[in-house]
Amino acid sequence: THYTIKHMTIIQKRQNKSNSTTTLQKYGCIFIALVICLALFQIQDAPDSNDASGKSKVRRKELLTARDPNTPVLLTKNQNQNRAQEPVKCKEDTKDSTRDAKIVHQVSHKQVQKDVAAATSTISTERDFLDIALKTGTDKVEGYHQLPKCLANPETCIRGESERRVCRPWGHFYDTMYNKWLKKYSTDDAERIQFLEIGFYNGKGFDAYSQFMPRAEGHSIEISCIEDEAKWKWGNFAKKNKRYESLREARRLHCGDSNSYDFLNEVWTKEMKRPDAPPLKLVIEDASHISAHMATSLFFWLPRIEPGGLLVVEDIQPLSQPNPFRTHILPQVIKDLHWCGNKLKEINDTRCFPGIQPLLAGVHCEMHICVFERNDAPSIEPDKENSMTPANAFRDAQKCLFGPHEVSG
């Protein structure tokens, strides 16, 4: 009996110890699960460190909500209710798109714990176009500085009559497009490519591209440095850039008329198309903003860009000079993008621009900027006639888009 009681006591102690261990394990698992959930919740609000655009989103919102005493800021709806005066609004402001709302409204952020960020982030060499462009001072991202001032004081707006608020200030918001399409060229080990900017001006944009894509061989075209007063008599804007002389000596800055076939062909064949040159993968049109010149860049350079490359056209705005490109050329290119060549009784599927249609993979646009993406067809060099804008490209736009089209057979 004594042995049995002693044995049962030992068994009971072991069971109590086992129950304590099980309870501890259960609560321990619950605690670990809570920690993991908290970490995931915090990580969800954190920008992806591998993606430059994630950092850029936070940076853009910081710019629009910075508490600088000399810079008016945008307030949330609740904050506005507690203020005697509200930022100037138009009754149509509520029609802004979601993207516009993200630009103009203050967005609150949660502070991510350093240990969580350190545990979940990895080192990335991708650069952020917004940070670089802000430092060079290019107008490609100046909208972030000017928009809050414009909304607070309409007198600072250059187009205060615009219904769409993001159209009112000076400057643009192009960083999202450049981060999306060019970030693969922004790393220190990126593919070596060649790019051409059309419209150097004072070089702030070219400096931004060069710093953003450090391995790329950059070229730029500018008319203001041309030594011909008959073509340009308003001074040399390009000379204001500190790299002006070195770029000229390196034959990277080419002075001339970007609407001239002879000049473009000379730059291409003598300066860019060299045996030791990397492939031309990027052309940026940002010159006169005259629709005919914008079209010239499209028709001359798109065929010469290597497969998978990009042609970027900026300033596609509803203003007198660039507007015909927006209303006449761009719609025809997009129509051709969906061309199949069907010849049906109710429709004859024709092409507006058969010279460049076979080279297009896509057209991607945000406000005032479009990217024309090359497909995998090899680059070509059309003759002079086929390298320039078709004679009736603007005049026949309506006919090509809406007909009447002759139906064959």
Side-chain angles (χ1 to χ4, degrees), residues 171-206:
H172 307 286
F173 307 91
Y174 294 158
D175 58 295
T176 52
M177 287 292 272
Y178 284 125
N179 273 331
K180 179 178 181 179
W181 291 98
L182 302 183
K183 67 179 180 180
K184 63 182 178 180
Y185 302 127
S186 71
T187 61
D188 293 332
D189 58 350
E191 173 192 359
R192 183 161 168 74
I193 67 165
Q194 185 182 68
F195 78 84
L196 170 67
E197 175 200 50
I198 304 172
F200 184 84
Y201 190 52
N202 56 20
K204 293 180 179 180
F206 185 81

PDB file of all heavy atoms in Angstrom, residues 171-206:
ATOM      1  N   GLY A 171       5.118  72.862 -63.284  1.00  0.00           N
ATOM      2  CA  GLY A 171       5.831  71.623 -63.002  1.00  0.00           C
ATOM      3  C   GLY A 171       4.981  70.379 -63.216  1.00  0.00           C
ATOM      4  O   GLY A 171       3.767  70.448 -63.438  1.00  0.00           O
ATOM      5  N   HIS A 172       5.660  69.240 -63.158  1.00  0.00           N
ATOM      6  CA  HIS A 172       5.033  67.959 -63.478  1.00  0.00           C
ATOM      7  C   HIS A 172       5.220  66.959 -62.344  1.00  0.00           C
ATOM      8  O   HIS A 172       5.861  67.247 -61.338  1.00  0.00           O
ATOM      9  CB  HIS A 172       5.633  67.406 -64.771  1.00  0.00           C
ATOM     10  CG  HIS A 172       5.587  68.363 -65.916  1.00  0.00           C
ATOM     11  ND1 HIS A 172       4.428  68.662 -66.600  1.00  0.00           N
ATOM     12  CD2 HIS A 172       6.571  69.107 -66.502  1.00  0.00           C
ATOM     13  CE1 HIS A 172       4.691  69.543 -67.556  1.00  0.00           C
ATOM     14  NE2 HIS A 172       5.980  69.838 -67.514  1.00  0.00           N
ATOM     15  N   PHE A 173       4.665  65.747 -62.586  1.00  0.00           N
ATOM     16  CA  PHE A 173       4.751  64.645 -61.631  1.00  0.00           C
ATOM     17  C   PHE A 173       5.210  63.381 -62.367  1.00  0.00           C
ATOM     18  O   PHE A 173       4.620  62.317 -62.239  1.00  0.00           O
ATOM     19  CB  PHE A 173       3.383  64.404 -60.986  1.00  0.00           C
ATOM     20  CG  PHE A 173       2.763  65.640 -60.377  1.00  0.00           C
ATOM     21  CD1 PHE A 173       1.924  66.456 -61.132  1.00  0.00           C
ATOM     22  CD2 PHE A 173       3.022  65.995 -59.066  1.00  0.00           C
ATOM     23  CE1 PHE A 173       1.340  67.590 -60.579  1.00  0.00           C
ATOM     24  CE2 PHE A 173       2.450  67.132 -58.501  1.00  0.00           C
ATOM     25  CZ  PHE A 173       1.611  67.930 -59.262  1.00  0.00           C
ATOM     26  N   TYR A 174       6.290  63.492 -63.121  1.00  0.00           N
ATOM     27  CA  TYR A 174       6.713  62.414 -64.011  1.00  0.00           C
ATOM     28  C   TYR A 174       7.480  61.296 -63.317  1.00  0.00           C
ATOM     29  O   TYR A 174       7.815  60.290 -63.956  1.00  0.00           O
ATOM     30  CB  TYR A 174       7.591  62.974 -65.133  1.00  0.00           C
ATOM     31  CG  TYR A 174       6.892  63.899 -66.098  1.00  0.00           C
ATOM     32  CD1 TYR A 174       7.621  64.819 -66.861  1.00  0.00           C
ATOM     33  CD2 TYR A 174       5.513  63.863 -66.284  1.00  0.00           C
ATOM     34  CE1 TYR A 174       6.997  65.671 -67.760  1.00  0.00           C
ATOM     35  CE2 TYR A 174       4.885  64.709 -67.177  1.00  0.00           C
ATOM     36  CZ  TYR A 174       5.632  65.610 -67.919  1.00  0.00           C
ATOM     37  OH  TYR A 174       5.010  66.449 -68.814  1.00  0.00           O
ATOM     38  N   ASP A 175       7.797  61.461 -62.047  1.00  0.00           N
ATOM     39  CA  ASP A 175       8.647  60.472 -61.367  1.00  0.00           C
ATOM     40  C   ASP A 175       8.025  59.083 -61.362  1.00  0.00           C
ATOM     41  O   ASP A 175       8.740  58.075 -61.445  1.00  0.00           O
ATOM     42  CB  ASP A 175       8.907  60.918 -59.929  1.00  0.00           C
ATOM     43  CG  ASP A 175       7.631  61.103 -59.130  1.00  0.00           C
ATOM     44  OD1 ASP A 175       6.830  61.997 -59.473  1.00  0.00           O
ATOM     45  OD2 ASP A 175       7.421  60.354 -58.166  1.00  0.00           O
ATOM     46  N   THR A 176       6.714  58.991 -61.274  1.00  0.00           N
ATOM     47  CA  THR A 176       6.076  57.677 -61.222  1.00  0.00           C
ATOM     48  C   THR A 176       6.318  56.889 -62.503  1.00  0.00           C
ATOM     49  O   THR A 176       6.560  55.677 -62.467  1.00  0.00           O
ATOM     50  CB  THR A 176       4.566  57.825 -60.981  1.00  0.00           C
ATOM     51  OG1 THR A 176       4.012  58.732 -61.950  1.00  0.00           O
ATOM     52  CG2 THR A 176       4.298  58.376 -59.594  1.00  0.00           C
ATOM     53  N   MET A 177       6.279  57.557 -63.628  1.00  0.00           N
ATOM     54  CA  MET A 177       6.525  56.878 -64.901  1.00  0.00           C
ATOM     55  C   MET A 177       7.988  56.483 -65.052  1.00  0.00           C
ATOM     56  O   MET A 177       8.304  55.370 -65.505  1.00  0.00           O
ATOM     57  CB  MET A 177       6.102  57.780 -66.069  1.00  0.00           C
ATOM     58  CG  MET A 177       4.607  57.913 -66.221  1.00  0.00           C
ATOM     59  SD  MET A 177       3.794  56.365 -66.748  1.00  0.00           S
ATOM     60  CE  MET A 177       3.911  56.523 -68.534  1.00  0.00           C
ATOM     61  N   TYR A 178       8.892  57.372 -64.668  1.00  0.00           N
ATOM     62  CA  TYR A 178      10.313  57.059 -64.818  1.00  0.00           C
ATOM     63  C   TYR A 178      10.747  55.961 -63.852  1.00  0.00           C
ATOM     64  O   TYR A 178      11.559  55.099 -64.203  1.00  0.00           O
ATOM     65  CB  TYR A 178      11.146  58.322 -64.641  1.00  0.00           C
ATOM     66  CG  TYR A 178      11.075  59.219 -65.862  1.00  0.00           C
ATOM     67  CD1 TYR A 178      10.691  60.549 -65.758  1.00  0.00           C
ATOM     68  CD2 TYR A 178      11.375  58.720 -67.122  1.00  0.00           C
ATOM     69  CE1 TYR A 178      10.606  61.363 -66.879  1.00  0.00           C
ATOM     70  CE2 TYR A 178      11.290  59.520 -68.248  1.00  0.00           C
ATOM     71  CZ  TYR A 178      10.914  60.840 -68.127  1.00  0.00           C
ATOM     72  OH  TYR A 178      10.822  61.629 -69.238  1.00  0.00           O
ATOM     73  N   ASN A 179      10.219  55.969 -62.638  1.00  0.00           N
ATOM     74  CA  ASN A 179      10.541  54.883 -61.713  1.00  0.00           C
ATOM     75  C   ASN A 179       9.985  53.556 -62.214  1.00  0.00           C
ATOM     76  O   ASN A 179      10.621  52.503 -62.070  1.00  0.00           O
ATOM     77  CB  ASN A 179       9.978  55.178 -60.322  1.00  0.00           C
ATOM     78  CG  ASN A 179      10.933  56.002 -59.481  1.00  0.00           C
ATOM     79  OD1 ASN A 179      12.146  55.946 -59.640  1.00  0.00           O
ATOM     80  ND2 ASN A 179      10.386  56.793 -58.571  1.00  0.00           N
ATOM     81  N   LYS A 180       8.814  53.594 -62.808  1.00  0.00           N
ATOM     82  CA  LYS A 180       8.183  52.363 -63.281  1.00  0.00           C
ATOM     83  C   LYS A 180       8.925  51.760 -64.465  1.00  0.00           C
ATOM     84  O   LYS A 180       9.149  50.546 -64.515  1.00  0.00           O
ATOM     85  CB  LYS A 180       6.729  52.643 -63.669  1.00  0.00           C
ATOM     86  CG  LYS A 180       5.993  51.423 -64.202  1.00  0.00           C
ATOM     87  CD  LYS A 180       4.543  51.745 -64.521  1.00  0.00           C
ATOM     88  CE  LYS A 180       3.802  50.521 -65.042  1.00  0.00           C
ATOM     89  NZ  LYS A 180       2.373  50.821 -65.338  1.00  0.00           N
ATOM     90  N   TRP A 181       9.323  52.596 -65.413  1.00  0.00           N
ATOM     91  CA  TRP A 181       9.869  52.079 -66.662  1.00  0.00           C
ATOM     92  C   TRP A 181      11.395  52.059 -66.728  1.00  0.00           C
ATOM     93  O   TRP A 181      11.966  51.307 -67.530  1.00  0.00           O
ATOM     94  CB  TRP A 181       9.312  52.887 -67.838  1.00  0.00           C
ATOM     95  CG  TRP A 181       7.863  52.640 -68.045  1.00  0.00           C
ATOM     96  CD1 TRP A 181       6.807  53.406 -67.623  1.00  0.00           C
ATOM     97  CD2 TRP A 181       7.272  51.505 -68.702  1.00  0.00           C
ATOM     98  NE1 TRP A 181       5.612  52.842 -67.975  1.00  0.00           N
ATOM     99  CE2 TRP A 181       5.863  51.670 -68.641  1.00  0.00           C
ATOM    100  CE3 TRP A 181       7.794  50.384 -69.336  1.00  0.00           C
ATOM    101  CZ2 TRP A 181       4.988  50.742 -69.194  1.00  0.00           C
ATOM    102  CZ3 TRP A 181       6.910  49.457 -69.877  1.00  0.00           C
ATOM    103  CH2 TRP A 181       5.533  49.649 -69.811  1.00  0.00           C
ATOM    104  N   LEU A 182      12.057  52.866 -65.931  1.00  0.00           N
ATOM    105  CA  LEU A 182      13.517  52.980 -66.063  1.00  0.00           C
ATOM    106  C   LEU A 182      14.296  52.471 -64.858  1.00  0.00           C
ATOM    107  O   LEU A 182      15.518  52.480 -64.885  1.00  0.00           O
ATOM    108  CB  LEU A 182      13.902  54.446 -66.324  1.00  0.00           C
ATOM    109  CG  LEU A 182      13.283  55.118 -67.547  1.00  0.00           C
ATOM    110  CD1 LEU A 182      13.826  56.528 -67.700  1.00  0.00           C
ATOM    111  CD2 LEU A 182      13.550  54.301 -68.812  1.00  0.00           C
ATOM    112  N   LYS A 183      13.623  52.052 -63.802  1.00  0.00           N
ATOM    113  CA  LYS A 183      14.370  51.676 -62.597  1.00  0.00           C
ATOM    114  C   LYS A 183      15.294  50.484 -62.835  1.00  0.00           C
ATOM    115  O   LYS A 183      16.293  50.326 -62.143  1.00  0.00           O
ATOM    116  CB  LYS A 183      13.408  51.386 -61.450  1.00  0.00           C
ATOM    117  CG  LYS A 183      12.548  50.165 -61.631  1.00  0.00           C
ATOM    118  CD  LYS A 183      11.648  49.960 -60.410  1.00  0.00           C
ATOM    119  CE  LYS A 183      10.759  48.729 -60.573  1.00  0.00           C
ATOM    120  NZ  LYS A 183       9.894  48.542 -59.392  1.00  0.00           N
ATOM    121  N   LYS A 184      14.980  49.650 -63.852  1.00  0.00           N
ATOM    122  CA  LYS A 184      15.864  48.522 -64.132  1.00  0.00           C
ATOM    123  C   LYS A 184      17.222  48.981 -64.654  1.00  0.00           C
ATOM    124  O   LYS A 184      18.186  48.208 -64.635  1.00  0.00           O
ATOM    125  CB  LYS A 184      15.213  47.579 -65.142  1.00  0.00           C
ATOM    126  CG  LYS A 184      14.956  48.184 -66.510  1.00  0.00           C
ATOM    127  CD  LYS A 184      14.267  47.169 -67.417  1.00  0.00           C
ATOM    128  CE  LYS A 184      13.955  47.754 -68.783  1.00  0.00           C
ATOM    129  NZ  LYS A 184      13.273  46.764 -69.663  1.00  0.00           N
ATOM    130  N   TYR A 185      17.293  50.227 -65.105  1.00  0.00           N
ATOM    131  CA  TYR A 185      18.565  50.791 -65.555  1.00  0.00           C
ATOM    132  C   TYR A 185      19.242  51.636 -64.471  1.00  0.00           C
ATOM    133  O   TYR A 185      20.277  52.252 -64.725  1.00  0.00           O
ATOM    134  CB  TYR A 185      18.360  51.660 -66.796  1.00  0.00           C
ATOM    135  CG  TYR A 185      17.738  50.934 -67.965  1.00  0.00           C
ATOM    136  CD1 TYR A 185      16.597  51.436 -68.598  1.00  0.00           C
ATOM    137  CD2 TYR A 185      18.275  49.745 -68.448  1.00  0.00           C
ATOM    138  CE1 TYR A 185      16.016  50.768 -69.675  1.00  0.00           C
ATOM    139  CE2 TYR A 185      17.700  49.072 -69.513  1.00  0.00           C
ATOM    140  CZ  TYR A 185      16.569  49.596 -70.126  1.00  0.00           C
ATOM    141  OH  TYR A 185      16.006  48.930 -71.187  1.00  0.00           O
ATOM    142  N   SER A 186      18.663  51.685 -63.272  1.00  0.00           N
ATOM    143  CA  SER A 186      19.157  52.597 -62.239  1.00  0.00           C
ATOM    144  C   SER A 186      20.170  51.964 -61.294  1.00  0.00           C
ATOM    145  O   SER A 186      20.724  52.659 -60.446  1.00  0.00           O
ATOM    146  CB  SER A 186      17.981  53.137 -61.418  1.00  0.00           C
ATOM    147  OG  SER A 186      17.433  52.120 -60.590  1.00  0.00           O
ATOM    148  N   THR A 187      20.406  50.675 -61.404  1.00  0.00           N
ATOM    149  CA  THR A 187      21.316  50.008 -60.485  1.00  0.00           C
ATOM    150  C   THR A 187      22.760  50.086 -60.982  1.00  0.00           C
ATOM    151  O   THR A 187      23.024  50.345 -62.162  1.00  0.00           O
ATOM    152  CB  THR A 187      20.920  48.541 -60.312  1.00  0.00           C
ATOM    153  OG1 THR A 187      20.995  47.885 -61.582  1.00  0.00           O
ATOM    154  CG2 THR A 187      19.505  48.425 -59.785  1.00  0.00           C
ATOM    155  N   ASP A 188      23.682  49.825 -60.068  1.00  0.00           N
ATOM    156  CA  ASP A 188      25.103  49.885 -60.421  1.00  0.00           C
ATOM    157  C   ASP A 188      25.534  48.739 -61.331  1.00  0.00           C
ATOM    158  O   ASP A 188      26.591  48.815 -61.964  1.00  0.00           O
ATOM    159  CB  ASP A 188      25.956  49.863 -59.147  1.00  0.00           C
ATOM    160  CG  ASP A 188      25.778  51.119 -58.317  1.00  0.00           C
ATOM    161  OD1 ASP A 188      25.474  52.177 -58.900  1.00  0.00           O
ATOM    162  OD2 ASP A 188      25.926  51.055 -57.081  1.00  0.00           O
ATOM    163  N   ASP A 189      24.730  47.685 -61.378  1.00  0.00           N
ATOM    164  CA  ASP A 189      25.057  46.551 -62.240  1.00  0.00           C
ATOM    165  C   ASP A 189      24.054  46.394 -63.382  1.00  0.00           C
ATOM    166  O   ASP A 189      23.897  45.319 -63.942  1.00  0.00           O
ATOM    167  CB  ASP A 189      25.122  45.261 -61.421  1.00  0.00           C
ATOM    168  CG  ASP A 189      23.806  44.975 -60.688  1.00  0.00           C
ATOM    169  OD1 ASP A 189      22.935  45.866 -60.679  1.00  0.00           O
ATOM    170  OD2 ASP A 189      23.672  43.877 -60.128  1.00  0.00           O
ATOM    171  N   ALA A 190      23.383  47.484 -63.727  1.00  0.00           N
ATOM    172  CA  ALA A 190      22.350  47.435 -64.764  1.00  0.00           C
ATOM    173  C   ALA A 190      22.954  47.233 -66.148  1.00  0.00           C
ATOM    174  O   ALA A 190      24.154  47.450 -66.373  1.00  0.00           O
ATOM    175  CB  ALA A 190      21.538  48.730 -64.747  1.00  0.00           C
ATOM    176  N   GLU A 191      22.104  46.802 -67.055  1.00  0.00           N
ATOM    177  CA  GLU A 191      22.507  46.698 -68.456  1.00  0.00           C
ATOM    178  C   GLU A 191      22.989  48.061 -68.951  1.00  0.00           C
ATOM    179  O   GLU A 191      22.392  49.086 -68.655  1.00  0.00           O
ATOM    180  CB  GLU A 191      21.305  46.241 -69.290  1.00  0.00           C
ATOM    181  CG  GLU A 191      21.549  46.264 -70.791  1.00  0.00           C
ATOM    182  CD  GLU A 191      20.272  46.083 -71.605  1.00  0.00           C
ATOM    183  OE1 GLU A 191      19.195  45.926 -70.991  1.00  0.00           O
ATOM    184  OE2 GLU A 191      20.363  46.126 -72.842  1.00  0.00           O
ATOM    185  N   ARG A 192      24.062  48.059 -69.693  1.00  0.00           N
ATOM    186  CA  ARG A 192      24.582  49.309 -70.234  1.00  0.00           C
ATOM    187  C   ARG A 192      23.810  49.653 -71.497  1.00  0.00           C
ATOM    188  O   ARG A 192      23.779  48.887 -72.463  1.00  0.00           O
ATOM    189  CB  ARG A 192      26.074  49.183 -70.521  1.00  0.00           C
ATOM    190  CG  ARG A 192      26.701  50.468 -71.022  1.00  0.00           C
ATOM    191  CD  ARG A 192      28.207  50.440 -70.852  1.00  0.00           C
ATOM    192  NE  ARG A 192      28.858  51.518 -71.573  1.00  0.00           N
ATOM    193  CZ  ARG A 192      28.843  52.791 -71.203  1.00  0.00           C
ATOM    194  NH1 ARG A 192      28.179  53.125 -70.115  1.00  0.00           N
ATOM    195  NH2 ARG A 192      29.471  53.712 -71.903  1.00  0.00           N
ATOM    196  N   ILE A 193      23.192  50.832 -71.490  1.00  0.00           N
ATOM    197  CA  ILE A 193      22.384  51.258 -72.628  1.00  0.00           C
ATOM    198  C   ILE A 193      22.803  52.661 -73.066  1.00  0.00           C
ATOM    199  O   ILE A 193      23.588  53.335 -72.400  1.00  0.00           O
ATOM    200  CB  ILE A 193      20.885  51.270 -72.286  1.00  0.00           C
ATOM    201  CG1 ILE A 193      20.589  52.372 -71.241  1.00  0.00           C
ATOM    202  CG2 ILE A 193      20.420  49.913 -71.797  1.00  0.00           C
ATOM    203  CD1 ILE A 193      19.124  52.709 -71.085  1.00  0.00           C
ATOM    204  N   GLN A 194      22.239  53.075 -74.171  1.00  0.00           N
ATOM    205  CA  GLN A 194      22.409  54.448 -74.658  1.00  0.00           C
ATOM    206  C   GLN A 194      21.043  55.131 -74.615  1.00  0.00           C
ATOM    207  O   GLN A 194      20.025  54.515 -74.933  1.00  0.00           O
ATOM    208  CB  GLN A 194      22.933  54.420 -76.094  1.00  0.00           C
ATOM    209  CG  GLN A 194      23.265  55.784 -76.681  1.00  0.00           C
ATOM    210  CD  GLN A 194      23.734  55.666 -78.133  1.00  0.00           C
ATOM    211  OE1 GLN A 194      22.951  55.311 -79.012  1.00  0.00           O
ATOM    212  NE2 GLN A 194      25.005  55.928 -78.373  1.00  0.00           N
ATOM    213  N   PHE A 195      21.028  56.380 -74.181  1.00  0.00           N
ATOM    214  CA  PHE A 195      19.781  57.135 -74.211  1.00  0.00           C
ATOM    215  C   PHE A 195      20.002  58.499 -74.844  1.00  0.00           C
ATOM    216  O   PHE A 195      21.105  59.038 -74.840  1.00  0.00           O
ATOM    217  CB  PHE A 195      19.164  57.279 -72.809  1.00  0.00           C
ATOM    218  CG  PHE A 195      19.793  58.316 -71.915  1.00  0.00           C
ATOM    219  CD1 PHE A 195      19.415  59.660 -71.987  1.00  0.00           C
ATOM    220  CD2 PHE A 195      20.763  57.952 -70.988  1.00  0.00           C
ATOM    221  CE1 PHE A 195      19.988  60.613 -71.157  1.00  0.00           C
ATOM    222  CE2 PHE A 195      21.338  58.900 -70.149  1.00  0.00           C
ATOM    223  CZ  PHE A 195      20.956  60.234 -70.234  1.00  0.00           C
ATOM    224  N   LEU A 196      18.932  59.036 -75.400  1.00  0.00           N
ATOM    225  CA  LEU A 196      18.963  60.352 -76.030  1.00  0.00           C
ATOM    226  C   LEU A 196      17.849  61.205 -75.456  1.00  0.00           C
ATOM    227  O   LEU A 196      16.679  60.798 -75.460  1.00  0.00           O
ATOM    228  CB  LEU A 196      18.787  60.233 -77.542  1.00  0.00           C
ATOM    229  CG  LEU A 196      18.565  61.551 -78.300  1.00  0.00           C
ATOM    230  CD1 LEU A 196      19.822  62.427 -78.250  1.00  0.00           C
ATOM    231  CD2 LEU A 196      18.140  61.298 -79.745  1.00  0.00           C
ATOM    232  N   GLU A 197      18.210  62.377 -74.974  1.00  0.00           N
ATOM    233  CA  GLU A 197      17.221  63.371 -74.557  1.00  0.00           C
ATOM    234  C   GLU A 197      17.127  64.432 -75.647  1.00  0.00           C
ATOM    235  O   GLU A 197      18.150  64.950 -76.101  1.00  0.00           O
ATOM    236  CB  GLU A 197      17.643  64.016 -73.239  1.00  0.00           C
ATOM    237  CG  GLU A 197      16.723  65.147 -72.802  1.00  0.00           C
ATOM    238  CD  GLU A 197      17.386  66.079 -71.794  1.00  0.00           C
ATOM    239  OE1 GLU A 197      18.520  66.527 -72.078  1.00  0.00           O
ATOM    240  OE2 GLU A 197      16.782  66.362 -70.764  1.00  0.00           O
ATOM    241  N   ILE A 198      15.930  64.751 -76.051  1.00  0.00           N
ATOM    242  CA  ILE A 198      15.720  65.803 -77.054  1.00  0.00           C
ATOM    243  C   ILE A 198      15.178  67.019 -76.318  1.00  0.00           C
ATOM    244  O   ILE A 198      14.037  67.027 -75.858  1.00  0.00           O
ATOM    245  CB  ILE A 198      14.737  65.334 -78.145  1.00  0.00           C
ATOM    246  CG1 ILE A 198      15.234  64.041 -78.787  1.00  0.00           C
ATOM    247  CG2 ILE A 198      14.552  66.409 -79.208  1.00  0.00           C
ATOM    248  CD1 ILE A 198      14.248  63.401 -79.743  1.00  0.00           C
ATOM    249  N   GLY A 199      16.014  68.030 -76.182  1.00  0.00           N
ATOM    250  CA  GLY A 199      15.650  69.220 -75.424  1.00  0.00           C
ATOM    251  C   GLY A 199      16.471  69.345 -74.148  1.00  0.00           C
ATOM    252  O   GLY A 199      15.959  69.146 -73.048  1.00  0.00           O
ATOM    253  N   PHE A 200      17.741  69.687 -74.274  1.00  0.00           N
ATOM    254  CA  PHE A 200      18.642  69.798 -73.121  1.00  0.00           C
ATOM    255  C   PHE A 200      18.293  70.998 -72.245  1.00  0.00           C
ATOM    256  O   PHE A 200      18.335  70.923 -71.027  1.00  0.00           O
ATOM    257  CB  PHE A 200      20.086  69.941 -73.626  1.00  0.00           C
ATOM    258  CG  PHE A 200      21.133  69.979 -72.550  1.00  0.00           C
ATOM    259  CD1 PHE A 200      21.626  68.813 -72.005  1.00  0.00           C
ATOM    260  CD2 PHE A 200      21.645  71.200 -72.103  1.00  0.00           C
ATOM    261  CE1 PHE A 200      22.603  68.839 -71.024  1.00  0.00           C
ATOM    262  CE2 PHE A 200      22.624  71.245 -71.123  1.00  0.00           C
ATOM    263  CZ  PHE A 200      23.105  70.061 -70.582  1.00  0.00           C
ATOM    264  N   TYR A 201      17.985  72.127 -72.857  1.00  0.00           N
ATOM    265  CA  TYR A 201      17.685  73.391 -72.178  1.00  0.00           C
ATOM    266  C   TYR A 201      18.824  73.753 -71.223  1.00  0.00           C
ATOM    267  O   TYR A 201      19.933  73.981 -71.652  1.00  0.00           O
ATOM    268  CB  TYR A 201      16.330  73.321 -71.482  1.00  0.00           C
ATOM    269  CG  TYR A 201      15.840  74.653 -70.957  1.00  0.00           C
ATOM    270  CD1 TYR A 201      15.788  75.761 -71.790  1.00  0.00           C
ATOM    271  CD2 TYR A 201      15.431  74.795 -69.634  1.00  0.00           C
ATOM    272  CE1 TYR A 201      15.340  76.991 -71.316  1.00  0.00           C
ATOM    273  CE2 TYR A 201      14.977  76.014 -69.147  1.00  0.00           C
ATOM    274  CZ  TYR A 201      14.944  77.118 -69.987  1.00  0.00           C
ATOM    275  OH  TYR A 201      14.511  78.325 -69.520  1.00  0.00           O
ATOM    276  N   ASN A 202      18.578  73.759 -69.907  1.00  0.00           N
ATOM    277  CA  ASN A 202      19.643  74.088 -68.969  1.00  0.00           C
ATOM    278  C   ASN A 202      20.289  72.845 -68.358  1.00  0.00           C
ATOM    279  O   ASN A 202      21.123  72.956 -67.458  1.00  0.00           O
ATOM    280  CB  ASN A 202      19.128  74.999 -67.853  1.00  0.00           C
ATOM    281  CG  ASN A 202      17.950  74.400 -67.117  1.00  0.00           C
ATOM    282  OD1 ASN A 202      17.727  73.192 -67.150  1.00  0.00           O
ATOM    283  ND2 ASN A 202      17.165  75.237 -66.437  1.00  0.00           N
ATOM    284  N   GLY A 203      19.882  71.673 -68.819  1.00  0.00           N
ATOM    285  CA  GLY A 203      20.552  70.439 -68.421  1.00  0.00           C
ATOM    286  C   GLY A 203      20.091  69.807 -67.125  1.00  0.00           C
ATOM    287  O   GLY A 203      20.617  68.766 -66.728  1.00  0.00           O
ATOM    288  N   LYS A 204      19.098  70.374 -66.459  1.00  0.00           N
ATOM    289  CA  LYS A 204      18.668  69.806 -65.176  1.00  0.00           C
ATOM    290  C   LYS A 204      18.000  68.438 -65.362  1.00  0.00           C
ATOM    291  O   LYS A 204      18.173  67.539 -64.536  1.00  0.00           O
ATOM    292  CB  LYS A 204      17.720  70.768 -64.469  1.00  0.00           C
ATOM    293  CG  LYS A 204      18.399  72.063 -64.022  1.00  0.00           C
ATOM    294  CD  LYS A 204      17.416  72.995 -63.327  1.00  0.00           C
ATOM    295  CE  LYS A 204      18.117  74.273 -62.872  1.00  0.00           C
ATOM    296  NZ  LYS A 204      17.179  75.204 -62.183  1.00  0.00           N
ATOM    297  N   GLY A 205      17.257  68.298 -66.437  1.00  0.00           N
ATOM    298  CA  GLY A 205      16.652  67.006 -66.726  1.00  0.00           C
ATOM    299  C   GLY A 205      17.701  65.982 -67.129  1.00  0.00           C
ATOM    300  O   GLY A 205      17.661  64.825 -66.694  1.00  0.00           O
ATOM    301  N   PHE A 206      18.652  66.399 -67.958  1.00  0.00           N
ATOM    302  CA  PHE A 206      19.730  65.495 -68.390  1.00  0.00           C
ATOM    303  C   PHE A 206      20.560  65.048 -67.199  1.00  0.00           C
ATOM    304  O   PHE A 206      20.950  63.874 -67.104  1.00  0.00           O
ATOM    305  CB  PHE A 206      20.609  66.196 -69.421  1.00  0.00           C
ATOM    306  CG  PHE A 206      21.663  65.304 -70.016  1.00  0.00           C
ATOM    307  CD1 PHE A 206      21.345  64.427 -71.041  1.00  0.00           C
ATOM    308  CD2 PHE A 206      22.971  65.345 -69.560  1.00  0.00           C
ATOM    309  CE1 PHE A 206      22.308  63.599 -71.598  1.00  0.00           C
ATOM    310  CE2 PHE A 206      23.942  64.528 -70.111  1.00  0.00           C
ATOM    311  CZ  PHE A 206      23.617  63.647 -71.129  1.00  0.00           C
TER     312      PHE A 206
END
